[in-house]
Amino acid sequence: MDERSTSELIVTLGEDFQRCYANVIKDIENGEKQDDGTTLADHEFNARQLVRAGFALIEGVSFALKIAAIDDAIENGIELTQAEIDFAFEVSHQLNEKGKVVEVSAHINLTKNIKFAFNLYSKAHSLNQSFDAGLTWWSDLKKAIKIRDRLMHPRSPENLDIEPNEVITVISAVRGFEALLVEYIGKKA
């Protein structure tokens, strides 16, 4: 069996996002400069890829953070509830047709999942830090989720259009998420 690591996942997702970012910048640099200072660029394909890559990064790293938090909690002697462990692994339970309990995939709202990941990490390291949802990147993340949802579930051709300010919103959300991750990991006890 091929042994692949969580760090490989994180690195690959980060590289994908950086590559998409570089492609969008290249599209804009190669665009036609207008008299009013704007640029006409064929950036939308790469911009849509940037959105997808950004959310893959956020979701993949959030999952990895939760799993790392469980490992660290065990190592640090921090007791976690079974519910915390189940949510970290994104597992839920329900009854099947025979009345037996079965594991199913937990469908967790992304913003709640991100808060949970950071709070679980904080608990695992006895950090005196609670998640701050008042930061600019968090507001941008909520806007970016709507952009992602529109792109992933298009109902009309216009749903695939992505404006430059939407690209900036997604980049702000991803960079803010990354900065918070670095901050939490840097405070590790």
Side-chain angles (χ1 to χ4, degrees):
M1 177 178 237
D2 185 21
E3 289 293 323
R4 301 182 81 178
S5 67
T6 303
S7 62
E8 180 184 355
L9 170 77
I10 293 168
V11 167
T12 300
L13 293 171
E15 288 173 349
D16 285 356
F17 182 77
Q18 283 305 117
R19 186 173 179 183
C20 291
Y21 177 82
N23 287 339
V24 169
I25 296 300
K26 184 178 173 184
D27 290 342
I28 292 168
E29 288 173 350
N30 293 335
E32 182 182 326
K33 309 301 181 220
Q34 303 298 297
D35 291 336
D36 65 358
T38 61
T39 301
L40 290 178
D42 185 14
H43 72 284
E44 292 200 22
F45 171 79
N46 285 323
R48 286 190 296 272
Q49 295 301 91
L50 176 82
V51 173
R52 292 178 186 117
F55 277 96
L57 175 64
I58 289 170
E59 292 182 24
V61 171
S62 293
F63 184 80
L65 184 64
K66 292 184 299 185
I67 303 311
I70 289 174
D71 289 343
D72 294 345
I74 292 167
E75 187 176 303
N76 295 335
I78 305 290
E79 207 169 305
L80 300 176
T81 67
Q82 187 60 48
E84 288 171 321
I85 294 167
D86 287 347
F87 273 113
F89 282 102
E90 299 181 7
V91 171
S92 186
H93 298 90
Q94 66 183 30
L95 297 174
N96 68 10
E97 294 77 29
K98 296 178 183 178
K100 294 187 178 190
V101 176
V102 293
E103 283 187 0
V104 295
S105 178
H107 299 285
I108 307 168
N109 171 283
L110 179 58
T111 56
K112 290 177 184 176
N113 201 25
I114 292 168
K115 288 178 185 178
F116 173 65
F118 282 104
N119 288 334
L120 188 65
Y121 189 85
S122 184
K123 180 177 181 178
H125 293 279
S126 302
L127 301 178
N128 188 17
Q129 181 165 349
S130 59
F131 187 89
D132 183 0
L135 300 173
T136 301
W137 80 268
W138 187 253
S139 173
D140 286 342
L141 177 69
K142 290 180 179 181
K143 293 175 196 168
I145 289 170
K146 292 178 183 175
I147 296 165
R148 184 231 17 215
D149 290 349
R150 186 188 77 227
L151 294 174
M152 298 305 292
H153 308 286
R155 301 291 183 253
S156 69
E158 293 81 14
N159 290 152
L160 298 176
D161 296 343
I162 185 158
E163 298 295 324
N165 66 322
E166 292 177 315
V167 172
I168 292 167
T169 297
V170 171
I171 292 168
S172 170
V174 171
R175 295 299 187 221
F177 174 85
E178 291 172 329
L180 187 64
L181 180 67
V182 168
E183 179 184 330
Y184 268 70
I185 290 172
K187 290 184 178 182
K188 191 161 116 171

